[in-house]
Amino acid sequence: MIVVMKPKASKKQIAAVVARIQELGYQTHENQGTTKTVIGAIGDKDKECLNALIAYEGVEKLVPIRKPYKLAARSSKEEDTIINIGPVQVGGGTFVVMAGPCSVESESQILSSAEAVKTAGGHFLRGGAYKPRTSPYSFQGLEEEGLELLSKAKRETGLGIITELLSVRNIESVVKHADIIQIGARNMQNFSLLKELNVNRPILLKRGLSSTLEELLMSAEYIMSVGNYQVMLCERGIRTFETAYRNTLDLNAVPALKSMTHLPVIVDPSHGTGRIDLIPTMAKAAIAAGADGIMIEIHPDPPKAYSDGPQSLNIPQFNELMEEIKPFVSAAGKRLLVAV
Ligand code: PEP
Ligand code: MN
């Protein structure tokens, strides 16, 4: 933190600020310019207590010099984080596809989805067993049974599983069945849940419906601060005034996050648009923007889906998408891994 003193600040006022900073356990570095004195507070303590320095007489402003998200910041680690999940590498020049239904609904539904993901060259099977639904009367997921079905799909296809953890109550069973744990948009700032994620599984952290990138990174920081450095960020659309689509897929977030953090960035054009007709275009746009992967909702029979049918591609549409993205992935200088 830099404390900028007013031009007319007295020696006594400057000394009081310096003394307080040192009392808080920081080193001070004083720089007397031609008109103003600036004081640097150097140290690695909680910055919160320094904010009160603004109340000292003679202080003009406080300028933070370090990002509040230290572990997630690109400045703390130049090179991209690479996460190895079974045979699949996420980040560092590869491009991964996570696909599957919004919810696990039945054995035949999840097994046929898994087969389709595998055949088309996807890398992970997604499917919610615990579903965060706006209405308590909507389908809430098959829960434990859904997790078992995901494991069965993994046994049959070899695909890694990504599924959402909704509550800390289910952490053990989700860890048991998932290769990647999804933290959904609605839980992005569930800090007590984030603090429990010191588990031996990578986390896909979805951006909250109205969260800033800094808030997203602070949530990643929560997970990293408890010792889990395997975090992927997911842009899944934000709420804006636009009503032509379900959410506004904020693709600015991809290059912006790439400069702010070393963590991989995945884009979810299914929730980001809510519209089948927009998904292929926005998936390709995500690749052009620099995403490390995409997450796509598919369903063997979308009109019959229990959740998110209107944004679920059917299998032929998904196959087509997988073909269409190939030249975009190469043009972006990435490798689309071969099917596992
Ligand atoms: C989902 O992936 O089905 C989901 C509920 O996502 P989000 O948390 O982004 O709404
Ligand atoms: Mn969904």
Side-chain angles (χ1 to χ4, degrees), residues 101-103 126-128 130-133 164 182-187 204 206-207 209 234-237 246-247 268 271-272 295 297 307-308 311:
C102 180
S103 308
R126 63 148 286 148
Y130 297 95
K131 292 304 302 175
R133 305 305 301 280
E164 179 163 355
Q182 174 172 323
I183 297 296
R186 289 152 193 85
N187 265 326
L204 181 92
K206 297 189 95 177
R207 181 181 182 181
L209 278 65
C234 180
E235 164 57 39
R236 47 78 71 207
R246 182 178 179 186
N247 289 298
D268 170 355
H271 293 87
M295 183 150 86
E297 285 189 337
S307 59
D308 286 349
Q311 65 188 41

Side-chain angles (χ1 to χ4, degrees), residues 107-225:
E107 179 165 332
S108 63
Q109 176 246 18
I110 198 66
L111 293 185
S112 54
S113 303
E115 208 45 60
V117 174
K118 170 138 183 155
T119 309
H123 307 97
F124 295 98
L125 174 68
R126 63 148 286 148
Y130 297 95
K131 292 304 302 175
R133 305 305 301 280
T134 301
S135 165
Y137 308 116
S138 301
F139 177 61
Q140 303 286 305
L142 293 183
E143 305 183 340
E144 193 67 36
E145 186 194 342
L147 294 176
E148 295 287 350
L149 291 175
L150 285 166
S151 278
K152 181 156 193 198
K154 179 178 177 171
R155 285 195 298 277
E156 298 210 348
T157 58
L159 290 171
I161 300 297
I162 169 164
T163 194
E164 179 163 355
L165 172 68
L166 207 51
S167 155
V168 74
R169 270 200 304 275
N170 310 115
I171 199 160
E172 258 180 55
S173 41
V174 171
V175 165
K176 181 171 157 212
H177 294 281
D179 297 281
I180 304 173
I181 298 177
Q182 174 172 323
I183 297 296
R186 289 152 193 85
N187 265 326
M188 188 203 89
Q189 287 193 315
N190 182 344
F191 302 119
S192 52
L193 179 62
L194 301 182
K195 284 197 268 188
E196 296 299 324
L197 296 176
N198 185 18
V199 290
N200 186 22
R201 288 289 178 277
I203 308 295
L204 181 92
L205 178 65
K206 297 189 95 177
R207 181 181 182 181
L209 278 65
S210 4
S211 298
T212 63
L213 298 185
E214 181 163 311
E215 286 164 340
L216 173 62
L217 289 169
M218 289 309 291
S219 292
E221 190 78 12
Y222 261 92
I223 302 168
M224 297 173 86
S225 73

